[in-house]
Amino acid sequence: MKRLLLSALLMLMPLAAHAQDRVLPLGGTVTEIIYQLGEQQRLIGRDTTSTWPAEAVALPDVGYVRALSPEGVLSVSPDLILMEEGAGPAETIEALRGAGVRMVTVPDDYTPEGVAQKVRVVADALGVPDKGADLAARIEADIAAARARVAEDHGPKPRVLFVLANSGGRLTGGGAQTAAAAIIGLAGGENAVTGFTGYKTLSDEAIATAAPDIILMMDRGDGSDDTAGLLAHPALAHTPAGERGAVVRLSGLLLLGFGPRTGAAIDMLHSTLAAHRAP
């Protein structure tokens, strides 16, 4: 049945395409960049993580960026897909390539230089390189200004534990080479966990050793708040952050996206960390 549906969608795609690109962004940061470039009129859909700016939410949702189906993506008849690294699964990406849809992967890089490169890649794919150069320059200036403000703060660097998830008391923390570690460093903090890369489940011993001053989590925008449960965690409760109840939440897309708002993310996280530093 799925094969029949996919075949039908492939047959309809040439009829739906027109002279102007029908662009489908897969990844919240990619969508933000397209809006900042002023090319949003070309968008015909979005993935679930594309929630900024608010107008993007009105676009048809083709699914979660890491759990896409060929049928969902092809239902909006794209002729250009701009996807962040990690979009998938691999079987879906393979099927989309087989369908003949033009696809461009936007590199994921948690550095100021990487943000500018993302912008240039998206702009080049859309055929507006001059717009991309202008936007990249503005973003680089914003980030440089934010970093200068962080450098003026000579207070102690707080140890920050980023908690990606709390699943029944099993905490997933962000190690090295993650967006969380990168933004914490840019904002003047110190990542509290060391010794591993990526996001991994933390043992009680690892949490105690980390001894965070502040716990950082994403605000997912759905009203959920498990702060009480988090602070009741037996290992976390006895850390400096747990004893002071120092838990902060920021928008996940703003915090970890490394997109056009990275300068604002640095400023916001820095001021938040400064406000929650131990007296």
Side-chain angles (χ1 to χ4, degrees):
M1 185 65 182
K2 283 189 174 183
R3 288 184 178 179
L4 290 174
L5 178 57
L6 181 56
S7 298
L9 287 167
L10 292 175
M11 292 175 65
L12 289 172
M13 280 180 59
L15 299 176
H18 48 75
Q20 187 181 44
D21 283 344
R22 295 176 57 82
V23 180
L24 176 63
L26 299 177
T29 299
V30 177
T31 302
E32 283 196 39
I33 291 172
I34 294 172
Y35 271 87
Q36 288 292 320
L37 289 169
E39 295 295 318
Q40 63 270 22
Q41 74 280 0
R42 301 164 72 172
L43 299 181
I44 44 81
R46 68 176 181 100
D47 77 295
T48 303
T49 69
S50 295
T51 58
W52 184 271
E55 305 92 274
V57 179
L59 293 165
D61 186 347
V62 301
Y64 177 56
V65 65
R66 301 187 191 281
L68 300 163
S69 71
E71 297 84 3
V73 172
L74 294 175
S75 68
V76 295
S77 302
D79 55 26
L80 171 62
I81 295 174
L82 290 167
M83 60 181 183
E84 66 179 25
E85 286 184 2
E91 295 80 5
T92 292
I93 303 304
E94 183 180 355
L96 295 174
R97 294 193 190 281
V101 183
R102 182 184 171 211
M103 304 178 72
V104 174
T105 300
V106 180
D108 213 1
D109 189 329
Y110 311 132
T111 66
E113 298 77 18
V115 176
Q117 179 61 11
K118 288 182 186 180
V119 170
R120 288 190 285 266
V121 169
V122 172
D124 287 351
L126 294 174
V128 290
D130 291 344
K131 284 186 176 182
D134 290 344
L135 178 58
R138 293 200 304 271
I139 292 171
E140 287 180 312
D142 287 345
I143 293 174
R147 296 183 73 183
R149 287 187 285 272
V150 172
E152 292 172 356
D153 182 352
H154 300 295
K157 288 188 175 184
R159 293 174 56 80
V160 183
L161 172 62
F162 176 76
V163 176
L164 179 66
N166 177 14
S167 178
R170 294 173 60 83
L171 306 184
T172 301
Q177 299 179 27
T178 61
I183 197 67
I184 288 169
L186 288 169
E190 178 183 345
N191 193 19
V193 292
T194 59
F196 67 89
T197 61
Y199 298 96
K200 294 185 178 180
T201 301
L202 302 175
S203 66
D204 287 357
E205 181 181 4
I207 294 170
T209 300
D213 300 305
I214 299 170
I215 301 161
L216 176 63
M217 297 189 74
M218 292 187 292
D219 180 354
R220 302 182 186 276
D222 58 3
S224 60
D225 185 348
D226 63 344
T227 300
L230 187 69
L231 293 175
H233 188 285
L236 203 54
H238 298 292
T239 65
E243 290 174 349
R244 295 189 300 112
V247 179
V248 298
R249 296 174 183 269
L250 294 175
S251 161
L253 186 55
L254 172 66
L255 187 68
L256 306 180
F258 277 83
R261 296 182 292 159
T262 300
I266 293 171
D267 274 333
M268 185 176 294
L269 182 55
H270 174 249
S271 62
T272 301
L273 296 182
H276 286 79
R277 268 196 295 239

